Amino acid sequence: MKFFIINSFRTMVYVAYVAIIVAGILMGVYQEGAFAGDLLGLEGTPARALEIAVGAAVGWIAASLVCGLIVTLLDIRDDINDRLPDARRDD
């Protein structure tokens, strides 16, 4: 059961990683070039392409940070749980 739970958490992290990147891309699509138009004076397709690229980059960075932190915390938890029986032993 422990094996299933740990792997389900890892699967959730992988799904969340892709979902955060897709959310960044969709945010870039949603802006329709408005931010790039205001900031850089771009219009049309170049503005939309820039916003999608920036959304993908920001999504990738955010996904790496969030999911990396989750995996690190899960590894720390697993290491602590593995070492607890050794700590309770009276040698």
Side-chain angles (χ1 to χ4, degrees):
M1 186 66 170
K2 180 181 176 182
F3 181 76
F4 174 74
I5 292 171
I6 290 170
N7 285 334
S8 66
F9 279 129
R10 293 206 187 273
T11 304
M12 258 187 342
V13 169
Y14 298 144
V15 170
Y17 192 84
V18 173
I20 292 170
I21 293 172
V22 169
I25 293 170
L26 291 176
M27 184 58 79
V29 170
Y30 176 75
Q31 291 290 323
E32 295 181 356
F35 184 70
D38 292 342
L39 189 63
L40 302 172
L42 295 175
E43 293 181 8
T45 305
R48 291 190 76 169
L50 179 66
E51 292 213 358
I52 292 170
V54 169
V58 169
W60 175 63
I61 292 168
S64 296
L65 292 173
V66 169
C67 293
L69 179 64
I70 292 170
V71 168
T72 301
L73 293 174
L74 286 172
D75 285 342
I76 291 170
R77 183 201 64 183
D78 292 342
D79 287 343
I80 290 171
N81 286 337
D82 289 343
R83 293 172 195 227
L84 277 177
D86 294 338
R88 290 184 186 145
R89 217 177 333 161
D90 292 323
D91 286 332

Coordinates of all heavy atoms in Angstrom, one line a residue:
M1 N 0.8 -1.2 0.0 CA 0.0 0.0 0.0 C 0.9 1.3 0.0 O 0.6 2.2 -0.7 CB -0.9 0.0 1.2 CG -1.9 1.1 1.3 SD -3.1 0.9 -0.1 CE -4.3 2.1 0.3
K2 N 2.0 1.2 0.8 CA 2.8 2.4 0.8 C 3.4 2.7 -0.5 O 3.5 3.8 -0.9 CB 4.0 2.1 1.9 CG 4.9 3.3 2.0 CD 6.0 2.9 3.0 CE 7.1 4.0 3.1 NZ 8.1 3.7 4.0
F3 N 3.8 1.6 -1.3 CA 4.4 1.8 -2.6 C 3.3 2.5 -3.5 O 3.7 3.4 -4.3 CB 4.7 0.4 -3.2 CG 5.3 0.5 -4.5 CD1 6.6 0.9 -4.7 CD2 4.6 0.1 -5.6 CE1 7.2 0.9 -6.0 CE2 5.1 0.1 -6.9 CZ 6.4 0.5 -7.1
F4 N 2.1 2.1 -3.5 CA 1.0 2.7 -4.3 C 0.8 4.2 -3.9 O 0.7 5.0 -4.8 CB -0.3 1.9 -4.1 CG -1.4 2.6 -4.8 CD1 -1.6 2.5 -6.2 CD2 -2.4 3.3 -4.1 CE1 -2.6 3.1 -6.8 CE2 -3.4 3.9 -4.7 CZ -3.6 3.8 -6.1
I5 N 0.8 4.5 -2.7 CA 0.6 5.9 -2.3 C 1.8 6.8 -2.7 O 1.6 7.9 -3.2 CB 0.4 6.0 -0.7 CG1 -0.9 5.3 -0.3 CG2 0.5 7.4 -0.2 CD1 -1.1 5.1 1.1
I6 N 3.0 6.3 -2.5 CA 4.1 7.1 -2.9 C 4.1 7.3 -4.5 O 4.4 8.4 -4.9 CB 5.5 6.4 -2.5 CG1 5.6 6.5 -1.0 CG2 6.7 7.0 -3.2 CD1 6.7 5.7 -0.4
N7 N 3.8 6.3 -5.2 CA 3.8 6.4 -6.7 C 2.6 7.3 -7.1 O 2.7 8.0 -8.1 CB 3.8 5.1 -7.3 CG 5.1 4.4 -7.3 OD1 6.1 5.1 -7.2 ND2 5.1 3.1 -7.3
S8 N 1.5 7.3 -6.4 CA 0.4 8.1 -6.8 C 0.7 9.6 -6.6 O 0.3 10.4 -7.3 CB -0.9 7.7 -6.1 OG -0.8 8.0 -4.7
F9 N 1.5 9.9 -5.5 CA 1.9 11.2 -5.3 C 2.9 11.7 -6.4 O 2.8 12.8 -6.9 CB 2.7 11.4 -3.9 CG 1.7 11.5 -2.8 CD1 1.9 10.7 -1.6 CD2 0.7 12.5 -2.8 CE1 1.1 10.9 -0.6 CE2 -0.1 12.6 -1.7 CZ 0.0 11.8 -0.6
R10 N 3.8 10.8 -6.8 CA 4.7 11.1 -7.9 C 3.9 11.4 -9.2 O 4.3 12.3 -9.9 CB 5.8 10.1 -8.0 CG 6.7 10.0 -6.8 CD 8.0 9.5 -7.2 NE 8.8 9.3 -6.0 CZ 9.6 10.2 -5.4 NH1 9.6 11.4 -5.9 NH2 10.3 10.0 -4.3
T11 N 2.9 10.5 -9.4 CA 2.1 10.7 -10.6 C 1.4 12.1 -10.6 O 1.3 12.8 -11.6 CB 1.1 9.6 -10.8 OG1 1.9 8.3 -10.8 CG2 0.3 9.7 -12.1
M12 N 0.9 12.4 -9.4 CA 0.2 13.7 -9.3 C 1.2 14.8 -9.6 O 0.8 15.8 -10.2 CB -0.3 13.9 -7.9 CG -1.8 13.7 -7.7 SD -2.5 14.0 -6.1 CE -1.2 14.1 -5.0
V13 N 2.4 14.7 -9.1 CA 3.4 15.8 -9.4 C 3.7 15.9 -10.9 O 3.8 17.0 -11.4 CB 4.7 15.5 -8.6 CG1 5.8 16.4 -9.0 CG2 4.5 15.7 -7.1
Y14 N 3.8 14.8 -11.6 CA 4.0 14.8 -13.0 C 2.9 15.4 -13.7 O 3.1 16.2 -14.7 CB 4.3 13.4 -13.6 CG 5.5 12.7 -13.0 CD1 5.5 11.4 -12.8 CD2 6.7 13.5 -12.7 CE1 6.7 10.7 -12.2 CE2 7.8 12.8 -12.1 CZ 7.8 11.5 -11.9 OH 8.9 10.9 -11.4
V15 N 1.7 15.1 -13.4 CA 0.5 15.7 -14.0 C 0.4 17.2 -13.7 O 0.1 18.0 -14.5 CB -0.8 15.0 -13.5 CG1 -2.0 15.7 -13.9 CG2 -0.8 13.6 -14.0
A16 N 0.7 17.6 -12.4 CA 0.7 19.0 -12.0 C 1.8 19.8 -12.8 O 1.6 20.9 -13.2 CB 1.0 19.1 -10.5
Y17 N 3.0 19.1 -13.1 CA 4.0 19.8 -13.8 C 3.5 20.2 -15.2 O 3.7 21.4 -15.6 CB 5.2 18.9 -13.9 CG 6.5 19.5 -14.4 CD1 7.3 20.2 -13.6 CD2 6.8 19.5 -15.8 CE1 8.5 20.8 -14.0 CE2 8.0 20.0 -16.2 CZ 8.8 20.7 -15.3 OH 10.0 21.3 -15.8
V18 N 2.9 19.3 -15.9 CA 2.4 19.5 -17.2 C 1.2 20.5 -17.2 O 1.1 21.4 -18.0 CB 2.0 18.2 -17.9 CG1 1.3 18.5 -19.2 CG2 3.2 17.3 -18.1
A19 N 0.4 20.4 -16.2 CA -0.8 21.3 -16.0 C -0.3 22.7 -15.8 O -0.9 23.7 -16.3 CB -1.7 20.8 -14.9
I20 N 0.7 23.0 -15.0 CA 1.2 24.3 -14.7 C 1.8 24.9 -16.0 O 1.5 26.1 -16.3 CB 2.2 24.3 -13.6 CG1 1.5 24.0 -12.3 CG2 2.9 25.7 -13.4 CD1 2.4 23.7 -11.1
I21 N 2.5 24.1 -16.8 CA 3.0 24.6 -18.0 C 1.9 25.0 -19.0 O 1.9 26.0 -19.6 CB 4.0 23.6 -18.6 CG1 5.3 23.5 -17.8 CG2 4.4 24.0 -20.1 CD1 6.2 22.4 -18.2
V22 N 0.9 24.1 -19.1 CA -0.2 24.4 -20.0 C -1.0 25.6 -19.5 O -1.4 26.4 -20.4 CB -1.1 23.1 -20.1 CG1 -2.4 23.5 -20.8 CG2 -0.4 22.0 -20.8
A23 N -1.1 25.8 -18.2 CA -1.8 27.0 -17.7 C -1.0 28.3 -18.1 O -1.6 29.3 -18.4 CB -1.9 26.9 -16.2
G24 N 0.3 28.2 -18.1 CA 1.1 29.3 -18.5 C 0.9 29.7 -20.0 O 0.8 30.8 -20.4
I25 N 0.9 28.6 -20.8 CA 0.7 28.8 -22.2 C -0.7 29.4 -22.5 O -0.9 30.3 -23.2 CB 0.9 27.5 -23.0 CG1 2.3 27.1 -22.9 CG2 0.4 27.6 -24.4 CD1 2.6 25.7 -23.4
L26 N -1.7 28.8 -21.8 CA -3.1 29.3 -22.0 C -3.2 30.8 -21.5 O -4.0 31.5 -22.0 CB -4.1 28.4 -21.2 CG -4.3 27.0 -21.9 CD1 -5.2 26.2 -21.0 CD2 -4.8 27.2 -23.3
M27 N -2.5 31.2 -20.4 CA -2.5 32.5 -20.0 C -2.0 33.5 -21.1 O -2.5 34.5 -21.3 CB -1.7 32.7 -18.7 CG -1.8 34.1 -18.1 SD -3.5 34.7 -17.8 CE -3.8 33.8 -16.3
G28 N -0.9 33.0 -21.7 CA -0.4 33.7 -22.9 C -1.4 33.9 -24.0 O -1.5 34.9 -24.6
V29 N -2.1 32.8 -24.3 CA -3.1 32.9 -25.3 C -4.3 33.8 -24.9 O -4.8 34.6 -25.7 CB -3.7 31.4 -25.6 CG1 -4.9 31.5 -26.5 CG2 -2.6 30.6 -26.2
Y30 N -4.6 33.8 -23.7 CA -5.7 34.6 -23.1 C -5.5 36.1 -23.3 O -6.4 36.9 -23.5 CB -6.0 34.2 -21.7 CG -7.1 35.0 -21.0 CD1 -8.4 34.9 -21.3 CD2 -6.7 36.0 -20.1 CE1 -9.4 35.6 -20.7 CE2 -7.7 36.8 -19.5 CZ -9.0 36.6 -19.8 OH -10.0 37.4 -19.2
Q31 N -4.2 36.4 -23.1 CA -3.8 37.9 -23.1 C -4.0 38.5 -24.5 O -4.1 39.7 -24.6 CB -2.4 38.1 -22.6 CG -2.2 37.8 -21.2 CD -2.8 38.9 -20.3 OE1 -2.8 40.0 -20.7 NE2 -3.4 38.5 -19.2
E32 N -4.0 37.7 -25.5 CA -4.1 38.1 -26.9 C -3.2 39.2 -27.3 O -3.5 40.1 -28.1 CB -5.6 38.5 -27.2 CG -6.6 37.4 -27.1 CD -8.0 37.8 -27.4 OE1 -8.2 39.0 -27.6 OE2 -8.8 37.0 -27.4
G33 N -2.0 39.2 -26.8 CA -1.0 40.2 -27.1 C -1.1 41.6 -26.5 O -0.4 42.5 -26.8
A34 N -2.0 41.7 -25.5 CA -2.3 43.0 -24.9 C -1.1 43.5 -24.1 O -0.7 44.6 -24.1 CB -3.5 42.9 -24.0
F35 N -0.5 42.6 -23.3 CA 0.6 42.9 -22.5 C 1.9 43.3 -23.3 O 2.5 44.3 -23.0 CB 1.0 41.8 -21.5 CG 2.1 42.1 -20.5 CD1 1.8 43.0 -19.5 CD2 3.3 41.5 -20.6 CE1 2.8 43.4 -18.6 CE2 4.3 41.8 -19.7 CZ 4.1 42.8 -18.7
A36 N 2.1 42.5 -24.3 CA 3.3 42.8 -25.2 C 3.0 44.1 -26.0 O 3.9 44.8 -26.3 CB 3.5 41.6 -26.2
G37 N 1.8 44.3 -26.3 CA 1.4 45.6 -27.0 C 1.6 46.8 -26.1 O 2.2 47.8 -26.6
D38 N 1.2 46.7 -24.9 CA 1.4 47.8 -24.0 C 2.9 48.0 -23.6 O 3.4 49.2 -23.5 CB 0.7 47.6 -22.6 CG -0.8 47.6 -22.8 OD1 -1.3 48.2 -23.9 OD2 -1.6 47.1 -22.0
L39 N 3.6 46.9 -23.4 CA 5.0 47.0 -22.9 C 6.0 47.3 -24.1 O 6.8 48.2 -23.9 CB 5.4 45.7 -22.2 CG 6.7 45.7 -21.5 CD1 6.7 46.7 -20.3 CD2 7.0 44.3 -21.0
L40 N 5.8 46.6 -25.2 CA 6.8 46.7 -26.3 C 6.3 47.4 -27.5 O 7.0 47.7 -28.4 CB 7.3 45.4 -26.6 CG 8.0 44.6 -25.5 CD1 8.3 43.2 -25.9 CD2 9.3 45.3 -25.0
G41 N 5.0 47.7 -27.6 CA 4.4 48.3 -28.8 C 4.2 47.3 -29.9 O 4.0 47.8 -31.0
L42 N 4.2 46.1 -29.6 CA 4.0 45.1 -30.7 C 2.5 44.9 -30.9 O 1.7 45.1 -30.0 CB 4.6 43.7 -30.3 CG 6.1 43.6 -30.2 CD1 6.5 42.3 -29.6 CD2 6.8 43.9 -31.5
E43 N 2.2 44.5 -32.1 CA 0.8 44.2 -32.5 C 0.7 42.9 -33.3 O 1.6 42.5 -33.9 CB 0.2 45.4 -33.3 CG 0.1 46.7 -32.5 CD -0.5 47.8 -33.3 OE1 -1.0 47.5 -34.5 OE2 -0.5 48.9 -32.9
G44 N -0.5 42.3 -33.2 CA -0.8 41.2 -34.1 C -0.1 39.9 -33.6 O 0.1 39.6 -32.4
T45 N 0.3 39.1 -34.6 CA 0.8 37.8 -34.4 C 2.1 37.8 -33.6 O 2.3 37.0 -32.7 CB 1.1 37.1 -35.8 OG1 -0.2 37.0 -36.5 CG2 1.6 35.7 -35.5
P46 N 3.1 38.8 -33.9 CA 4.3 38.8 -33.0 C 4.0 39.0 -31.5 O 4.7 38.4 -30.7 CB 5.1 39.9 -33.6 CG 4.6 40.1 -35.0 CD 3.2 39.7 -34.9
A47 N 3.0 39.8 -31.2 CA 2.7 40.1 -29.8 C 2.1 38.8 -29.2 O 2.4 38.5 -28.1 CB 1.7 41.2 -29.7
R48 N 1.2 38.1 -29.9 CA 0.6 36.9 -29.4 C 1.7 35.8 -29.2 O 1.7 35.1 -28.2 CB -0.5 36.4 -30.3 CG -1.7 37.3 -30.3 CD -2.8 36.7 -31.0 NE -3.4 35.7 -30.1 CZ -4.5 35.1 -30.2 NH1 -5.2 35.4 -31.3 NH2 -4.9 34.2 -29.4
A49 N 2.6 35.7 -30.2 CA 3.6 34.7 -30.1 C 4.6 34.9 -29.0 O 5.0 34.0 -28.2 CB 4.4 34.6 -31.4
L50 N 4.9 36.2 -28.7 CA 5.8 36.6 -27.6 C 5.1 36.2 -26.3 O 5.7 35.7 -25.4 CB 6.1 38.0 -27.7 CG 7.0 38.5 -26.5 CD1 8.4 37.9 -26.6 CD2 7.1 40.0 -26.6
E51 N 3.8 36.5 -26.2 CA 3.1 36.2 -24.9 C 2.9 34.7 -24.7 O 3.0 34.3 -23.5 CB 1.7 36.9 -24.9 CG 1.9 38.4 -24.9 CD 0.7 39.1 -24.1 OE1 -0.2 38.4 -23.7 OE2 0.8 40.3 -24.0
I52 N 2.7 34.0 -25.7 CA 2.7 32.5 -25.6 C 4.0 32.0 -25.1 O 4.1 31.1 -24.2 CB 2.2 31.8 -26.9 CG1 0.7 32.2 -27.1 CG2 2.3 30.3 -26.8 CD1 0.2 31.8 -28.4
A53 N 5.1 32.5 -25.7 CA 6.4 32.0 -25.4 C 6.8 32.4 -23.9 O 7.3 31.6 -23.2 CB 7.5 32.6 -26.3
V54 N 6.4 33.6 -23.5 CA 6.7 34.1 -22.2 C 5.8 33.3 -21.2 O 6.3 32.8 -20.1 CB 6.4 35.6 -22.0 CG1 6.4 36.0 -20.5 CG2 7.5 36.4 -22.8
G55 N 4.6 33.0 -21.5 CA 3.7 32.2 -20.7 C 4.2 30.8 -20.5 O 4.2 30.2 -19.4
A56 N 4.8 30.2 -21.6 CA 5.4 28.9 -21.5 C 6.6 28.9 -20.6 O 6.8 28.0 -19.8 CB 5.7 28.3 -22.9
A57 N 7.5 29.9 -20.8 CA 8.7 30.0 -20.0 C 8.3 30.2 -18.5 O 8.9 29.5 -17.6 CB 9.5 31.1 -20.5
V58 N 7.4 31.1 -18.2 CA 7.0 31.3 -16.8 C 6.3 30.1 -16.2 O 6.6 29.7 -15.1 CB 6.1 32.5 -16.7 CG1 5.4 32.6 -15.3 CG2 6.8 33.8 -17.0
G59 N 5.5 29.4 -17.0 CA 4.9 28.1 -16.6 C 5.9 27.1 -16.3 O 5.8 26.3 -15.3
W60 N 7.0 27.0 -17.1 CA 8.0 26.0 -16.9 C 8.8 26.3 -15.6 O 9.1 25.4 -14.8 CB 8.9 26.0 -18.1 CG 10.1 25.1 -18.0 CD1 10.1 23.7 -17.8 CD2 11.5 25.5 -17.9 NE1 11.4 23.3 -17.7 CE2 12.3 24.3 -17.8 CE3 12.1 26.7 -18.0 CZ2 13.6 24.4 -17.7 CZ3 13.5 26.7 -18.0 CH2 14.2 25.6 -17.8
I61 N 9.1 27.5 -15.4 CA 9.9 27.9 -14.2 C 9.0 27.7 -13.0 O 9.5 27.1 -12.0 CB 10.3 29.4 -14.3 CG1 11.4 29.5 -15.3 CG2 10.8 29.9 -12.9 CD1 11.7 31.0 -15.7
A62 N 7.8 28.1 -13.0 CA 6.9 27.9 -11.8 C 6.7 26.4 -11.6 O 6.7 25.9 -10.4 CB 5.5 28.6 -12.1
A63 N 6.5 25.6 -12.6 CA 6.3 24.2 -12.5 C 7.5 23.5 -11.9 O 7.4 22.6 -11.0 CB 5.9 23.5 -13.8
S64 N 8.7 23.9 -12.3 CA 9.9 23.4 -11.8 C 10.1 23.7 -10.3 O 10.5 22.8 -9.5 CB 11.1 23.9 -12.6 OG 11.1 23.5 -13.9
L65 N 9.8 24.9 -9.9 CA 9.9 25.3 -8.5 C 8.9 24.6 -7.6 O 9.2 24.0 -6.6 CB 9.8 26.8 -8.4 CG 10.9 27.6 -8.9 CD1 10.5 29.1 -8.9 CD2 12.2 27.4 -8.2
V66 N 7.6 24.6 -8.0 CA 6.6 24.0 -7.2 C 6.7 22.5 -7.1 O 6.7 21.9 -6.0 CB 5.2 24.4 -7.8 CG1 4.1 23.6 -7.1 CG2 4.9 25.9 -7.6
C67 N 6.9 21.8 -8.3 CA 6.9 20.4 -8.3 C 8.3 19.9 -7.7 O 8.3 18.8 -7.0 CB 6.7 19.8 -9.7 SG 5.0 20.2 -10.2
G68 N 9.3 20.6 -7.9 CA 10.6 20.3 -7.3 C 10.5 20.3 -5.8 O 11.1 19.5 -5.1
L69 N 9.9 21.3 -5.2 CA 9.7 21.4 -3.8 C 8.9 20.3 -3.3 O 9.2 19.7 -2.2 CB 9.0 22.8 -3.4 CG 8.8 23.0 -2.0 CD1 10.1 23.1 -1.2 CD2 8.0 24.3 -1.8
I70 N 7.8 19.9 -4.0 CA 7.0 18.8 -3.5 C 7.7 17.5 -3.5 O 7.7 16.8 -2.5 CB 5.7 18.7 -4.4 CG1 4.8 19.9 -4.2 CG2 5.0 17.4 -4.1 CD1 3.7 20.0 -5.2
V71 N 8.5 17.3 -4.6 CA 9.3 16.0 -4.6 C 10.3 16.0 -3.5 O 10.6 15.0 -2.9 CB 9.9 15.8 -6.0 CG1 10.9 14.7 -6.0 CG2 8.8 15.5 -7.0
T72 N 11.0 17.1 -3.3 CA 12.0 17.2 -2.2 C 11.4 16.9 -0.9 O 11.9 16.1 -0.1 CB 12.7 18.6 -2.2 OG1 13.2 18.8 -3.5 CG2 13.7 18.7 -1.1
L73 N 10.2 17.5 -0.6 CA 9.6 17.2 0.7 C 9.1 15.8 0.8 O 9.2 15.2 1.9 CB 8.4 18.2 0.9 CG 8.7 19.7 1.0 CD1 7.5 20.5 1.0 CD2 9.5 19.9 2.3
L74 N 8.7 15.2 -0.3 CA 8.3 13.8 -0.2 C 9.5 12.9 0.0 O 9.5 11.9 0.8 CB 7.6 13.3 -1.5 CG 6.2 13.8 -1.8 CD1 5.8 13.5 -3.2 CD2 5.3 13.2 -0.8
D75 N 10.7 13.2 -0.6 CA 11.9 12.5 -0.3 C 12.4 12.6 1.1 O 12.8 11.6 1.7 CB 13.0 12.9 -1.3 CG 12.8 12.4 -2.7 OD1 12.0 11.4 -2.9 OD2 13.4 12.9 -3.7
I76 N 12.3 13.8 1.6 CA 12.7 14.0 3.0 C 11.8 13.2 4.0 O 12.2 12.5 4.9 CB 12.6 15.5 3.4 CG1 13.8 16.2 2.7 CG2 12.8 15.7 4.9 CD1 13.7 17.7 2.8
R77 N 10.5 13.2 3.7 CA 9.5 12.4 4.5 C 9.8 10.9 4.4 O 9.8 10.2 5.4 CB 8.1 12.7 4.0 CG 7.1 12.0 4.9 CD 5.8 11.8 4.2 NE 6.0 11.0 3.0 CZ 5.0 10.7 2.2 NH1 3.8 11.2 2.3 NH2 5.3 9.9 1.1
D78 N 10.1 10.5 3.2 CA 10.4 9.0 3.1 C 11.7 8.7 3.8 O 11.8 7.6 4.4 CB 10.5 8.7 1.6 CG 9.2 8.8 0.9 OD1 8.2 8.8 1.5 OD2 9.2 8.8 -0.4
D79 N 12.7 9.5 3.7 CA 13.9 9.2 4.4 C 13.7 9.2 5.9 O 14.3 8.3 6.6 CB 15.0 10.3 4.1 CG 15.6 10.1 2.7 OD1 15.3 9.0 2.1 OD2 16.2 11.0 2.1
I80 N 13.0 10.1 6.4 CA 12.7 10.2 7.9 C 11.9 8.9 8.3 O 12.2 8.3 9.3 CB 11.9 11.4 8.3 CG1 12.8 12.6 8.2 CG2 11.3 11.3 9.7 CD1 12.1 14.0 8.3
N81 N 10.9 8.5 7.5 CA 10.1 7.3 7.8 C 11.0 6.1 7.8 O 10.8 5.1 8.5 CB 8.9 7.2 6.9 CG 7.9 8.2 7.3 OD1 7.8 8.7 8.4 ND2 7.0 8.5 6.3
D82 N 12.0 6.0 6.9 CA 12.8 4.9 6.8 C 13.8 4.8 7.9 O 14.2 3.7 8.3 CB 13.6 4.9 5.5 CG 12.8 4.6 4.2 OD1 11.6 4.1 4.4 OD2 13.2 5.0 3.1
R83 N 14.2 5.9 8.5 CA 15.2 5.9 9.6 C 14.5 5.8 11.0 O 15.2 5.6 11.9 CB 16.0 7.2 9.5 CG 16.9 7.2 8.3 CD 17.6 8.5 8.1 NE 18.1 8.5 6.7 CZ 19.3 8.9 6.4 NH1 20.1 9.3 7.4 NH2 19.7 9.0 5.2
L84 N 13.2 6.0 11.1 CA 12.6 6.0 12.4 C 12.8 4.6 13.1 O 13.1 4.6 14.3 CB 11.1 6.3 12.3 CG 10.7 7.8 12.2 CD1 9.3 7.9 12.0 CD2 11.2 8.5 13.5
P85 N 12.6 3.5 12.4 CA 12.8 2.2 13.2 C 14.2 2.1 13.7 O 14.4 1.6 14.8 CB 12.6 1.1 12.1 CG 11.7 1.8 11.1 CD 12.1 3.3 11.1
D86 N 15.2 2.6 13.0 CA 16.6 2.6 13.6 C 16.8 3.5 14.8 O 17.5 3.1 15.7 CB 17.6 3.1 12.5 CG 17.7 2.1 11.3 OD1 17.3 0.9 11.5 OD2 18.1 2.5 10.2
A87 N 16.1 4.6 14.8 CA 16.2 5.5 16.0 C 15.5 4.9 17.2 O 15.9 5.2 18.3 CB 15.6 6.8 15.6
R88 N 14.5 4.1 17.0 CA 13.7 3.6 18.1 C 14.4 2.3 18.8 O 14.1 1.9 19.8 CB 12.3 3.2 17.7 CG 11.5 4.4 17.4 CD 10.1 4.0 17.0 NE 9.3 5.1 16.6 CZ 8.4 5.1 15.6 NH1 8.1 4.0 15.0 NH2 7.8 6.2 15.3
R89 N 15.3 1.8 18.0 CA 16.0 0.6 18.5 C 17.0 0.9 19.6 O 17.7 1.9 19.6 CB 16.8 -0.1 17.4 CG 16.8 -1.5 17.4 CD 17.5 -2.2 16.3 NE 17.5 -1.4 15.1 CZ 18.3 -1.6 14.1 NH1 19.2 -2.5 14.1 NH2 18.3 -0.8 13.0
D90 N 17.0 0.2 20.7 CA 17.9 0.4 21.8 C 19.1 -0.6 21.7 O 19.0 -1.7 22.0 CB 17.2 0.1 23.2 CG 16.1 1.2 23.4 OD1 16.4 2.3 23.1 OD2 15.1 0.8 24.0
D91 N 20.2 -0.1 21.2 CA 21.4 -0.9 21.1 C 22.4 -0.6 22.2 O 22.6 0.4 22.7 CB 22.1 -0.6 19.7 CG 21.3 -1.3 18.6 OD1 20.6 -2.3 18.8 OD2 21.4 -0.8 17.5

